[in-house]
Amino acid sequence: MKYRSQDAFTHAQVDKIGIVISNLGTPEAPTKQALRPYLKQFLSDPRVVEVPKAIWWFVLNGIILNIRPKRSAQAYKTVWTEDGSPLLTHTKHQAQGLEKRCREHFGEDVLVDYAMRYGRPSVSDAVERLLAQGARKILLLPLYPQYCASTTGSTFDALAEDFTKRRWLPDLRFISHYHDRADYIDCIANKIKAHWDENGRADKLLFSYHGIPKRYLLNGDPYHCECHKTSRLIAAKLGISADEYMTSFQSRFGREEWLKPYTDETLKKLPSEGIKSLQVVCPGFSSDCLETIEEIGEENREYFEQAGGERYEYIECLNSDDAHLDMLFCLIKDNLVGWHVNAQISNNLSKGEKEDYQQRNALAKSLGATK
């Protein structure tokens, strides 16, 4: 069969709304064997690496996948927990928190699931589970506050690829960014304030975002601009001046120029400029992961201290903080406007909509509720 159908589908089933939150992904274990297929999937995505396919195939399979898996596995081992990958654990907890809020507000008619763009559970896995439970409307929320083609765009690609294989396509809404939402800015600012209340302030506050190649910016990607806007809005909320904070970009890969200034080079330089104490926050990450725990919390701490820095503090991501989940729920609720919940119990349906549902249900019964 060319197009995929729902095994348990009946024409009489009650339509529901499905919410999918997604994040970048994680290997299934901190081992070389598990890292190789994960990195291959990630680095084979043309949204991530915009290099001619034939050239990149040889570089990826001939060099990178023979070197990087072992190195990456060593880094993952330093952040792995009893529950597994921190990113996967945090995303799962976020989904559970959002499901609780949706259930309290909407009843049983709005379902929540989670997915990883690379690795498992995949976007397709989450969509399949929601459709099997009766979802006929899907809202996808990639947990990247700032839009980037390499992350948000790639997540849409994964969903679009899944949809090309399905017989009945659900209604779709897609949240592409939320970098300047007031409640998101409040969440980050309040997280920083809470850290200040407990630890005091440092000489400077550094906003570190994941980097991308500079040419992506020059080709029209808005990510760089949205990162700087987020930093500016948080700084304004905190009431700090331009010389009290700065924005940098981390996690560069390869030899070409990426967005600058680079976080690691910045941390090696700041002590010589009189910055002896530093606090770092990563507003582009909704959950702590390898790039925040190991790269920012450990590796870059060493750069700063070895260069003469005396005090270095990493301020954790929002993760599953109640304020963060409340903000994400409000974001979801805003994007559900106009979508009726459960046709059988919604008080907002028009007379014609109720009659349409009743006719559909009657027809299904006359057909024996066949697929």
Side-chain angles (χ1 to χ4, degrees):
M1 183 180 295
K2 183 177 180 180
Y3 297 108
R4 188 175 184 178
S5 299
Q6 284 298 128
D7 292 337
F9 172 77
T10 68
H11 288 278
Q13 71 184 41
V14 174
D15 292 352
K16 297 184 178 181
I17 295 172
I19 311 294
V20 180
I21 62 170
S22 69
N23 219 311
L24 188 73
T26 178
E28 295 186 17
T31 64
K32 176 183 176 180
Q33 293 75 18
L35 260 297
R36 196 175 195 281
Y38 169 72
L39 289 174
K40 184 172 184 177
Q41 182 188 17
F42 173 46
L43 296 175
S44 295
D45 187 343
R47 286 278 198 181
V48 175
V49 181
E50 296 185 26
V51 173
K53 188 174 181 179
I55 296 174
W56 183 242
W57 188 94
F58 284 104
V59 174
L60 178 61
N61 291 277
I63 301 174
I64 295 175
L65 292 179
N66 290 319
I67 299 174
R68 195 171 178 85
K70 182 178 180 180
R71 185 187 310 163
S72 295
Q74 293 172 345
Y76 271 102
K77 286 178 181 177
T78 68
V79 304
W80 216 256
T81 71
E82 291 183 359
D83 295 325
S85 160
L87 179 63
L88 185 61
T89 300
H90 287 308
T91 307
K92 181 178 180 180
H93 290 164
Q94 289 165 344
Q96 292 170 342
L98 289 172
E99 182 179 47
K100 180 176 182 294
R101 285 162 174 77
C102 285
R103 188 166 294 172
E104 291 172 349
H105 188 83
F106 297 111
E108 303 295 322
D109 306 299
V110 176
L111 312 169
V112 179
D113 212 324
Y114 65 96
M116 296 287 126
R117 173 60 183 93
Y118 310 103
R120 299 177 182 176
S122 68
V123 172
S124 184
D125 291 338
V127 169
E128 179 66 20
R129 286 193 296 267
L130 291 172
L131 294 182
Q133 296 176 75
R136 287 295 169 262
K137 296 179 175 68
I138 298 291
L139 172 66
L140 179 55
L141 168 57
L143 294 175
Y144 313 115
Q146 298 79 23
Y147 175 88
C148 180
S150 302
T151 52
T152 317
S154 178
T155 303
F156 184 85
D157 290 349
L159 183 66
E161 181 180 3
D162 175 85
F163 274 20
T164 62
K165 302 171 185 176
R166 294 194 179 275
R167 181 169 299 281
W168 186 4
L169 301 183
D171 292 352
L172 172 66
R173 290 182 181 177
F174 183 84
I175 300 175
S176 64
H177 60 177
Y178 52 95
H179 69 288
D180 56 357
R181 273 184 67 101
D183 48 2
Y184 159 68
I185 299 300
D186 286 344
C187 280
I188 301 291
N190 289 336
K191 186 85 173 184
I192 296 169
K193 288 178 182 178
H195 186 87
W196 285 352
D197 289 343
E198 184 175 345
N199 303 279
R201 292 177 57 174
D203 294 336
K204 193 175 285 287
L205 177 65
L206 178 68
F207 297 107
S208 182
Y209 298 84
H210 200 291
I212 59 172
K214 181 180 177 180
R215 61 189 170 91
Y216 294 6
L217 164 66
L218 299 179
N219 288 336
D221 197 300
Y223 178 72
H224 178 265
C225 302
E226 294 193 358
C227 290
H228 277 281
K229 185 175 183 180
T230 295
S231 295
R232 177 173 55 80
L233 291 174
I234 296 172
K237 193 70 179 181
L238 292 171
I240 59 178
S241 60
D243 62 349
E244 293 178 284
Y245 77 94
M246 64 183 301
T247 294
S248 63
F249 297 90
Q250 64 186 79
S251 310
R252 68 186 185 277
F253 175 77
R255 296 181 178 180
E256 72 173 302
E257 182 179 359
W258 281 39
L259 298 181
K260 289 182 176 179
Y262 300 143
T263 296
D264 55 356
E265 293 186 357
T266 297
L267 293 177
K268 294 174 183 177
K269 181 179 64 173
L270 284 177
S272 66
E273 299 176 349
I275 305 300
K276 299 297 184 178
S277 62
L278 184 72
Q279 291 164 334
V280 185
V281 66
C282 299
F285 293 85
S286 60
S287 301
D288 278 306
C289 56
L290 180 71
E291 286 81 2
T292 63
I293 301 171
E294 193 274 337
E295 184 179 353
I296 296 299
E298 299 176 14
E299 180 183 341
N300 283 277
R301 175 192 299 275
E302 292 181 4
Y303 295 150
F304 183 71
E305 293 177 346
Q306 289 172 1
E310 298 171 357
R311 175 184 162 207
Y312 179 97
E313 295 165 3
Y314 166 62
I315 301 173
E316 291 183 349
C317 292
L318 296 174
N319 296 320
S320 53
D321 291 357
D322 283 338
H324 187 210
L325 296 181
D326 289 343
M327 182 277 292
L328 291 175
F329 174 68
C330 288
L331 175 60
I332 288 170
K333 192 167 59 171
D334 289 348
N335 282 273
L336 291 183
V337 171
W339 271 3
H340 295 309
V341 180
N342 192 330
Q344 286 186 314
I345 67 172
S346 174
N347 294 321
N348 298 320
L349 291 181
S350 66
K351 180 179 178 182
E353 288 171 323
K354 290 179 180 178
E355 290 177 350
D356 178 69
Y357 178 81
Q358 292 168 354
Q359 291 174 0
R360 181 158 63 98
N361 191 46
L363 176 61
K365 288 181 179 179
S366 71
L367 295 171
T370 55
K371 296 176 184 175

